[in-house]
Each structure stands twice: as C-alpha cells, then as structure tokens.
Amino acid sequence: MTANGAGGGGSSSGTSAGGGEPEPSDSLRTFGAFVQALREHAGLSREEFGHLIGLSKHTVTSIEVGRRMPDPDFAERAEPVLGDTGALRNALKHVARRPGLATWFRQWAKKEETAISLYTYECRVIPGLLQTEAYARALFDERLPPLSDEEIESQWAARAERQQFLSERPNTAFSFVLDEHLFLRRTGGVEVTRELIDHVLEVSRRRNIESQVLPLATSVHPGLNGPIQLLETPDNRWLAYGEGQQTGQLIPDPKVVSILQMRYAKLRSQALSPEESKSLLLRLRGEL
C-alpha cells in the first residue's frame, strides 16, 4: 500500500487504491502467539503487559494476532517483563514480514508511527487513513492482477491497523487536501460514497484532524504534478514520500521536501476552508 493507502496505492495501508503484493504473515502470527503464551504464563493481561512496556492494549493485541510488526526494541522492553530468557530476542530475528504492506512502503510507515505532523494531498483515491472498509474493499475487488480473498483480508487488516493512528495519536497534526472528484467518482456505488462522506466528516471533527476539499473549479494548482505526502519527525525534520504504480520512495532531500512543502501550502490556500469543505461534502451527499 502506500502511505495513504494509495500510497498506499493501496499498496501500503495508505492512500491509494491498491498496491503491492501482501507478504505471507506466518512468521508474524507465530511470533505473536509466542508473545501471548509468555504473557499469559506471566499472569499478565494485555493491558497490564502494555503498560509495563509502554504500549497500548490495542497494539499488544495487534502484535499477538500477527497484524503488526513489532518495533525493533520490542524484545528489549518485553524480555525483563516476560522472564528475561532471551527467547523473544531470538524469535524476533526470524520475523521479517508484515502483512498487507508493500516492501517499498514499510520505511515510510515506520516514520508515520512517530510523526508529529502528517500532511496528505490526494487526487487518485481517498487516502488510506480516511477510507471506510466498504470503499477499500471496492478498490481491492478491482485490483489487477486480481487479489485472493486472503490477500484482500490481509490488506484491509493492515489498513485498519494503520488507521488507529487517527485515534491513538491526538497530539499529531493531520492535514488532508482531497480533490472533489474523488467523491464524485462514486467508487463502490452511491451507498459506499455516502458512508465515505459521513466517515470523512466524522473523522474531521477531531481537533487534530483537518480535511479540505480542492474544488473542481480550481483549474490550475500544484497538485497537477501528483499526490503529496509529508511528515514531521519528533526532532522536527521533514520528510516526503512518493509512490508510483509498483514503487515508492522515501524522500529525505531537504531541497525536494521544501519544494513539496511549498506546493502543499499553495494547495491548502486554494482548497476550501474546513467549514466550506464540510458544506460541500454535505451538499454532495444530498445530491447522490
């Protein structure tokens, strides 16, 4: 997927419609089951275990069921809590796969997990972070080459996991600029589009999430060159990400990032304000 699930071009869990090949998750499921067994042997609930190692109950659950790749330092934090036998460290060496995430997207996905600002402009599909399950599955169903049922489930699980950022990171500033035609396309049909609009409006009520619509009337704008994804790291460094049909690239070059920041700023100024965007989406919903 991509960062958005388009850029997630559906590949990552992100922005796009579709994306790279999901990898087998046997090693992740096996590692997760091992963690669960050790935790239960220690007499800890998921919430208690998470508190001891600095993770949420939800994150612990995701690791134990094989949906989430553990952080590199997971074993170091968990070992003292689970007996300090070294078994977790050894087991983690054999976990190299993350379900539903394209190989090229993982590096960006890792940066997203700690970002303090995350900006996304999309002109191809609704960003993965904002997709509903019905919308995402409509994209998956039309993927070429076709996906198996197992691959579709894997990609949706990864996308849903990634969407937890929106609720778990209240101190991260999220900005989305979305082309109006993304809603007019009615991907998945009228009911799917209505649900999508409702979801975007609901998510955008959170104080750290801002969604703006770039109207069709904007004939010329910086987004004509393609989607833009930017993030700010905890040490206030800005990075960008770009994704094509079957490739993606983390962009650390300050000069390139500066250009993309300039373009994104222009897009925000040309887009409708958050309140105006809300009004437009409500009108579009009524016209479906």
Side-chain angles (χ1 to χ4, degrees):
M1 324 185 234
T2 68
N4 1 320
S11 28
S12 57
S13 42
T15 311
S16 109
E21 293 292 329
E23 297 188 345
S25 57
D26 288 351
S27 63
L28 270 177
R29 286 196 292 265
T30 300
F31 180 79
F34 184 53
V35 172
Q36 181 175 351
L38 289 177
R39 173 184 61 75
E40 291 176 347
H41 181 71
L44 298 171
S45 67
R46 284 172 172 164
E47 186 171 9
E48 290 169 336
F49 177 54
H51 177 71
L52 291 172
I53 63 173
L55 295 177
S56 68
K57 176 184 175 181
H58 174 81
T59 300
V60 172
T61 300
S62 296
I63 291 173
E64 291 188 349
V65 300
R67 283 201 312 262
R68 186 186 185 102
M69 183 75 176
D71 293 337
D73 63 344
F74 173 80
E76 296 305 317
R77 287 179 288 159
E79 278 283 8
V81 177
L82 301 179
D84 210 10
T85 63
L88 270 183
R89 294 188 186 92
N90 290 331
L92 190 55
K93 295 175 184 177
H94 302 286
V95 179
R97 297 171 177 175
R98 187 170 184 173
L101 290 184
T103 304
W104 61 78
F105 179 71
R106 290 190 207 128
Q107 192 176 9
W108 177 261
K110 197 65 184 173
K111 297 293 185 183
E112 278 187 329
E113 293 179 1
T114 57
I116 60 175
S117 298
L118 190 62
Y119 297 169
T120 301
Y121 163 69
E122 250 308 331
C123 54
R124 301 172 299 181
V125 296
I126 296 297
L129 285 174
L130 296 178
Q131 291 175 10
T132 61
E133 181 173 356
Y135 180 89
R137 288 183 181 277
L139 298 176
F140 296 151
D141 284 344
E142 298 301 321
R143 184 81 56 77
L144 292 174
L147 299 176
S148 67
D149 290 345
E150 182 179 15
E151 288 171 329
I152 289 176
E153 294 306 319
S154 176
Q155 292 217 10
W156 169 246
R159 191 154 303 182
E161 169 73 18
R162 182 167 168 264
Q163 290 179 351
Q164 295 301 317
F165 292 161
L166 297 178
S167 57
E168 291 184 348
R169 302 191 61 80
N171 296 317
T172 295
F174 294 90
S175 169
F176 298 96
V177 176
L178 312 172
D179 270 7
E180 181 181 353
H181 73 79
L182 297 180
F183 300 96
L184 296 175
R185 184 173 290 142
R186 300 183 181 182
T187 299
V190 171
E191 290 307 315
V192 170
T193 303
R194 284 189 180 129
E195 180 190 30
L196 177 67
I197 290 175
D198 289 343
H199 178 66
V200 171
L201 291 172
E202 178 63 27
V203 168
S204 301
R205 292 176 60 186
R206 298 173 186 169
R207 66 172 63 91
N208 64 318
I209 300 174
E210 181 178 86
S211 296
Q212 296 175 259
V213 177
L214 187 69
L216 287 175
T218 312
S219 57
V220 179
H221 57 81
L224 294 177
N225 289 319
I228 297 174
Q229 291 184 213
L230 297 160
L231 67 73
E232 183 183 9
T233 66
D235 59 355
N236 305 116
R237 181 187 179 198
W238 283 88
L239 301 170
Y241 177 80
E243 183 170 286
Q245 288 280 334
Q246 290 292 315
T247 59
Q249 179 183 18
L250 178 68
I251 304 170
D253 187 332
K255 292 182 179 179
V256 177
V257 172
S258 177
I259 291 172
L260 294 178
Q261 286 179 306
M262 186 186 309
R263 292 176 180 175
Y264 192 81
K266 180 67 172 179
L267 282 166
R268 292 181 84 170
S269 70
Q270 291 179 297
L272 300 176
S273 70
E275 281 305 311
E276 292 170 333
S277 297
K278 176 181 177 181
S279 296
L280 174 60
L281 289 177
L282 288 173
R283 178 173 63 78
L284 292 177
R285 189 189 190 285
E287 294 176 354
L288 289 174

